[in-house]
Structure formats: structure tokens, C-alpha cells
């Protein structure tokens, strides 16, 4: 996605080109796509180019019928067709003027002062009929084309602003589990006239090394992977109200396409149960979220003994412990029962009591892996938590595409606003700076009447203002 507009925005154009072989007429088939959809191809041209092209076509039609009139009047010089003086045929200049009058129905009069219906030349009547018929169709097409070109809703996307940077930060839940989120901020500059049904989507494109010079002719299995939206909830349509700057957030969980592979092997809930433990259910190619498991919307864990499914590791642990006590009380054989499950080996306990602070970073402590003679180098700071995410985004050359769709309330047309983020456009361990302030600028209220006169409304004296200078700023994230 090209970010080629001022204020760090995109013109909604994707840098994607086509390549096809000329063997077996493949080039003609490629050109056939544009012939079948010629109207939209013409709409995609710049207004100056498309209008100039239509004027050339219209002028070419006038010249064509002017030549037809000269040919008809020259067929039989003795017959008075009403165009030229007998026995001379009409000149091309006069035929062009007559063609122009016929097309535009101006009605300046016939050549040589004749006022008739061309009864002597049926061929001339047929030519006039077809020119008038084509003129009506061309006028109808021209009206629809200009309306479609001027009222196209895609230009409305220019007023939708995306933050220059996307951010990735984390939060530590009370149970010790860490959650990682990617967020971007969106705002509709024309906030006085809210757009309708605005909703947002995220996609991840892994370019990897496809842009390297040595891979110029290598075909890559590149695809756009869906990134589920946690806030606003995409189960409810991921609906936004963009008249106030709002954030769209993706939870980088076990199912996220931008989760580093090393993190994925650790399993759900930040590695509380490993991927190969047998307890993690296969997602079967679906785009899932861990949040749905937390809230009971889906079960992502399965007991390997009895097959009972659960949404969170805590519920699965309680299930196993309860059955272990019950089976032990009932003298159930250990083999094949819940009693043979080693809880300490299978599950990593995460709780606030097992979280220690070191260099401002929350690190998990494991008494089993800490030796009494272990020497801690306090002068060597631990690497930041986001290094693994930053390295993976850079190595895989991941581009995150944010798409906001909405309906313009004036024309009732749907439009898309697109923004792109690569590793250079992502900040870590920060959050967006506040950008909404009270509207106390009394000095500019005198200009409100001008906007009210021309537009019908004025924002002067309203309760809030949006500081666009702070819209793109970020501040340090406080966990």
C-alpha cells in the first residue's frame, strides 16, 4: 500500500501489477478483461483524460456523419437533397456544420436556406435518424458518466485519518498472564457529519525475501492473513464511531498470524500449556481468538483423558485436579485416568506471586531452575520483551494492512480507507498520546457564522476539539 498523501496517509492504491505470457494469446485474454469492463476502466482514468477522450469520440462522430452527408449529396448531383446547390454537392465544411446542428439540435437552419424534410433523399433521412439516435445514447451515457465520476465515494476516504504509527504493547493480567496488543488510531476529519456503519479490518502480508534482487523471478505463496479485531469486537461487526479518535486493536494471541513461531510453540495463554502437550485443540483452518475462550465463546483446550473441552487453562487444571481427587478416593487405577497426568510438568503456573520484577520488566521465576550458586549480572540489562516481535516482523517483512469501510450519508455509497504499517511504522511499548481537549477558543467564534452560512452548521462553541498535532504522537506505556 502506497502512503503517498500528506499527513502520512494513503491514496488507497495497492502496488500490484499483472504479468502474463504472450503465448497462446494470453496477452489478448488479459486485454479482454478491460474490454468486458470498459465502463469502470473509463471511470478509473483521470477526469481530464476521460473528458478529453469523450470529446475526441464525440468529435469523431461529427466528422464521420459529415463525410456520410457529403457522400449522400454527391451520389446524384441532379437530385436536390436540400444540402448543396444543384448540381454542386455540399462542401465538407457545410456538412460538418449540418452534422453539428443535427447532433446538438441547435436549429440554425438548413444549408442554402432550404426548409424541408429531405423527401428526395431517403438515404439522407436514414443517416439523420441514426445520428440523432446515437446522439441520444451518447448524451445519456455522458450524463451518467459525469455523475458517477463526480459523485464517486472513494474520494471520501481522503478525510479519514490513520495514525502514522501502529503500536504494540503488553499488559499483565492479575493472574500473571501477559497479553500483547497491536493498535492503530483512526479519526474522520469531517467529524460534524458522521459516516454510517464504519467498521475496521486487519490483514497481515508476509513478503519475506520476495523483494530481494536474487528472487526477482521466484514465485512466492504470498497471501493476506486475517487478523481478528478484539476492540471493537469483530463478532459484533467491529463497528467504529470515527467522529472522535478511536483505536482499533488486534490481540497478538496464539492464533494471530504475526505471533513469532517460538511464541506459538509455547502454546496458548502466553505459554501456559505447550502446543504439543495434546491439550491444545486444532483450529481446523479457522481464524480464532483466545478472547473467545476466556469469555466462554469457544473451547480451545481438550482433556486428553476424558475429552472434556474447556476455554481456559485454569478451568482445565481444576477439572483434572478434581478428577484426580475423585479417582484417588474411588481407588480408580492410575493407568488411563487423570491421576497419571503430571500437573507440574504439563502446566506452567502463572500467578502474581510467581512474577518478579527485574530492570522494570516482569519476568517469570522458577524455583526449580534457579541454583543457589547462580550469579546474577546486574550490570547487564535484560533485553526488552518486544525484541522477539520486532525481529520476527523484520525477518518476515510483514506488512499490516488496516482497512476501514463506511457509508457516506450524502450519497449512500460505500468507500474504503486503507493504511499500511511495516516494521518502520510500528513503535513498541508505547501508547497514543491524548489528543482531545476542551473547546475554549473564544477568539474564533466570530468565524462560525461563515461556515454556518455556507454549510448550515458551525463547530464554534462546541465542547471538544481534536489536536491533530498530537494525533500521531505516542507516549511511554505504563503497565
Amino acid at each position: 500500500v502506497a502512503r503517498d498523501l500528506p499527513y502520512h496517509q494513503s491514496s488507497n492504491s495497492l502496488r500490484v501489477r499483472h504479468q502474463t505470457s504472450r503465448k497462446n494469446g494470453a496477452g489478448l485474454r488479459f486485454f479482454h478483461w478491460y474490454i468486458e469492463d470498459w465502463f469502470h476502466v473509463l471511470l478509473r482514468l483521470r477526469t481530464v483524460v476521460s473528458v478529453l477522450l469523450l470529446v475526441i469520440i464525440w468529435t469523431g462522430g461529427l466528422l464521420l456523419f459529415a463525410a456520410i452527408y457529403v457522400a449522400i449529396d454527391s451520389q446524384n448531383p441532379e437530385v436536390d437533397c436540400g444540402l448543396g446547390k444543384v448540381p454542386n454537392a455540399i462542401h465538407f465544411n457545410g456538412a460538418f456544420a449540418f452534422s453539428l446542428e443535427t447532433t446538438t439540435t441547435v436549429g440554425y437552419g438548413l444549408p442554402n436556406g432550404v426548409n424541408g424534410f429531405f423527401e428526395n433523399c431517403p438515404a439522407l433521412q436514414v443517416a439523420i435518424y441514426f445520428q440523432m439516435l446515437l446522439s441520444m445514447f451518447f448524451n445519456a451515457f455522458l450524463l451518467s458518466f459525469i455523475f458517477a465520476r463526480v459523485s464517486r465515494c472513494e474520494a471520501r476516504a481522503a478525510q479519514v485519518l490513520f495514525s502514522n504509527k501502529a503500536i504494540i504493547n503488553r499488559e499483565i493480567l492479575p493472574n500473571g498472564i501477559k497479553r500483547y496488543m497491536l493498535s492503530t488510531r483512526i479519526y474522520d476529519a469531517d467529524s460534524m457529519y458522521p459516516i454510517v456503519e464504519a467498521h475496521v479490518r486487519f490483514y497481515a502480508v508476509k513478503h519475506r525475501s520476495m523483494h530481494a534482487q536474487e528472487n526477482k523471478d521466484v514465485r512466492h505463496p504470498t497471501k493476506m492473513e486475517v487478523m481478528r479485531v478484539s476492540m471493537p469486537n469483530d463478532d459484533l461487526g467491529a463497528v467504529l464511531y470515527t467522529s472522535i479518535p478511536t483505536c482499533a486493536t488486534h490481540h497478538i494471541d496464539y492464533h494471530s498470524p504475526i505471533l513469532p513461531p517460538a511464541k506459538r510453540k509455547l502454546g496458548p495463554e502466553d505459554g501456559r500449556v505447550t502446543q504439543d502437550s495434546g491439550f491444545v485443540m486444532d483450529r481446523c483452518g479457522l481464524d480464532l481468538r483466545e478472547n473467545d475462550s476466556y469469555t466462554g465463546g469457544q473451547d480451545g483446550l481438550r482433556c486428553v483423558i476424558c475429552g472434556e473441552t474447556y476455554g481456559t487453562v485454569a478451568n482445565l487444571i481444576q477439572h483434572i485436579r478434581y478428577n484426580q481427587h475423585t479417582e484417588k478416593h474411588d481407588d480408580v487405577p492410575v493407568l488411563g485416568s487423570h491421576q497419571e497426568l503430571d500437573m507440574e510438568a504439563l502446566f506452567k503456573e502463572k500467578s502474581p506471586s510467581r512474577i518478579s520484577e527485574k530492570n522494570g520488566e516482569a519476568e517469570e521465576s522458577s524455583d526449580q531452575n534457579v541454583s543457589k550458586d547462580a550469579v546474577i549480572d546486574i550490570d547487564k540489562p535484560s533485553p526488552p520483551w518486544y525484541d522477539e516481535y520486532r525481529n520476527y516482523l523484520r525477518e518476515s517483512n510483514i506488512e499490516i494492512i488496516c482497512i476501514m469501510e463506511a457509508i457516506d450519508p450524502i450519497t449512500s455509497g460505500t468507500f474504503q480507507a486503507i493504511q499500511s504499517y511495516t516494521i518502520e511504522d510500528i513503535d513498541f511499548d508505547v501508547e497514543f498520546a491524548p489528543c482531545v481537549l476542551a473547546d475554549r477558543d473564544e477568539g474564533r467564534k466570530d468565524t462560525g457564522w461563515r461556515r454556518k452560512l455556507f454549510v448550515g452548521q458551525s463547530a464554534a462553541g462546541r465542547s471538544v476539539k481534536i489536536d491533530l498535532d498530537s494525533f500521531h504522537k505516542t507516549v511511554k506505556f505504563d503497565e
Side-chain angles (χ1 to χ4, degrees), residues 377-423:
D377 187 1
I378 60 176
D379 295 329
K380 183 180 180 180
S382 59
W385 60 264
Y386 49 79
D387 268 3
E388 191 171 7
Y389 291 88
R390 181 168 55 189
N391 294 336
Y392 177 64
L393 290 172
R394 180 180 292 109
E395 292 170 0
S396 298
N397 197 9
I398 295 178
E399 179 182 11
I400 298 172
I401 299 177
C402 180
I403 302 177
M404 195 216 72
E405 295 177 325
I407 300 174
D408 178 53
I410 299 178
T411 61
S412 299
T414 304
F415 67 92
Q416 284 186 344
I418 306 176
Q419 183 68 308
S420 170
Y421 299 97
T422 58
I423 183 61

Side-chain angles (χ1 to χ4, degrees), residues 113-175:
V114 179
N115 188 14
F117 294 97
F118 316 105
E119 296 91 344
N120 298 331
C121 296
L124 182 59
Q125 293 177 330
V126 173
I128 294 175
Y129 167 79
F130 279 105
Q131 185 175 13
M132 294 293 293
L133 183 65
L134 294 176
S135 176
M136 287 189 297
F137 281 114
F138 188 85
N139 291 339
F141 167 78
L142 188 62
L143 178 62
S144 63
F145 173 81
I146 294 177
F147 177 79
R149 180 67 186 172
V150 173
S151 64
R152 66 191 189 279
C153 290
E154 60 185 22
R156 179 62 175 84
Q159 299 190 70
V160 177
L161 303 180
F162 292 88
S163 57
N164 180 35
K165 299 286 187 178
I167 61 174
I168 293 181
N169 50 42
R170 73 171 182 178
E171 64 177 357
I172 302 178
L173 303 181
N175 59 2

Side-chain angles (χ1 to χ4, degrees), residues 95-113:
F96 178 79
F98 178 71
S99 177
L100 181 62
E101 289 184 42
T102 305
T103 299
T104 58
T105 63
V106 175
Y108 288 133
L110 299 177
N112 302 314

Side-chain angles (χ1 to χ4, degrees), residues 100-378:
L100 181 62
E101 289 184 42
T102 305
T103 299
T104 58
T105 63
V106 175
Y108 288 133
L110 299 177
N112 302 314
V114 179
N115 188 14
F117 294 97
F118 316 105
E119 296 91 344
N120 298 331
C121 296
L124 182 59
Q125 293 177 330
V126 173
I128 294 175
Y129 167 79
F130 279 105
Q131 185 175 13
M132 294 293 293
L133 183 65
L134 294 176
S135 176
M136 287 189 297
F137 281 114
F138 188 85
N139 291 339
F141 167 78
L142 188 62
L143 178 62
S144 63
F145 173 81
I146 294 177
F147 177 79
R149 180 67 186 172
V150 173
S151 64
R152 66 191 189 279
C153 290
E154 60 185 22
R156 179 62 175 84
Q159 299 190 70
V160 177
L161 303 180
F162 292 88
S163 57
N164 180 35
K165 299 286 187 178
I167 61 174
I168 293 181
N169 50 42
R170 73 171 182 178
E171 64 177 357
I172 302 178
L173 303 181
N175 59 2
I177 298 177
K178 302 169 187 175
R179 297 179 60 194
Y180 304 88
M181 287 84 63
L182 178 141
S183 302
T184 183
R185 186 149 64 176
I186 306 173
Y187 171 60
D188 180 19
D190 194 11
S191 55
M192 292 181 57
Y193 304 93
I195 53 182
V196 181
E197 289 293 330
H199 53 278
V200 66
R201 290 179 286 153
F202 284 109
Y203 294 96
V205 181
K206 298 178 182 178
H207 298 276
R208 303 188 188 277
S209 59
M210 65 179 299
H211 299 292
Q213 184 65 28
E214 60 272 15
N215 296 332
K216 181 179 180 181
D217 296 325
V218 178
R219 275 64 175 172
H220 298 268
T222 303
K223 63 178 182 179
M224 298 183 68
E225 300 183 57
V226 177
M227 300 171 56
R228 295 291 301 273
V229 183
S230 297
M231 187 177 63
N233 189 355
D234 58 10
D235 277 343
L236 303 178
V239 180
L240 298 169
Y241 191 78
T242 56
S243 292
I244 294 293
T246 183
C247 289
T249 302
H250 165 73
H251 180 200
I252 309 176
D253 57 14
Y254 172 72
H255 305 287
S256 173
I258 63 174
L259 182 71
K263 284 279 189 181
R264 193 180 307 279
K265 290 181 180 179
L266 296 178
E269 298 190 17
D270 195 29
R272 197 171 183 185
V273 54
T274 59
Q275 183 182 26
D276 55 356
S277 63
F279 291 94
V280 181
M281 297 175 62
D282 186 11
R283 67 176 187 171
C284 300
L286 301 178
D287 300 310
L288 305 179
R289 300 182 305 181
E290 279 192 27
N291 291 347
D292 296 328
S293 298
Y294 300 156
T295 57
Q298 69 182 26
D299 293 336
L301 302 171
R302 177 182 60 87
C303 178
V304 295
I305 301 299
C306 64
E308 189 77 21
T309 58
Y310 293 91
T312 63
V313 174
N315 290 342
L316 178 59
I317 292 176
Q318 290 181 352
H319 160 77
I320 295 175
R321 284 177 175 170
Y322 175 79
N323 280 276
Q324 285 179 341
H325 288 298
T326 303
E327 292 167 354
K328 183 176 180 180
H329 179 271
D330 296 340
D331 295 328
V332 176
V334 175
L335 186 62
S337 68
H338 294 82
Q339 301 176 73
E340 69 173 348
L341 299 177
D342 187 352
M343 302 293 290
E344 293 295 331
L346 290 173
F347 302 101
K348 299 177 182 178
E349 295 287 348
K350 292 177 180 286
S351 62
S353 62
R354 303 192 65 177
I355 301 295
S356 63
E357 295 294 330
K358 177 184 176 184
N359 297 324
E361 299 289 337
E363 303 290 343
E364 299 175 20
S365 62
S366 177
D367 297 336
Q368 298 178 354
N369 299 327
V370 178
S371 171
K372 295 181 180 181
D373 298 329
V375 179
I376 301 176
D377 187 1
I378 60 176

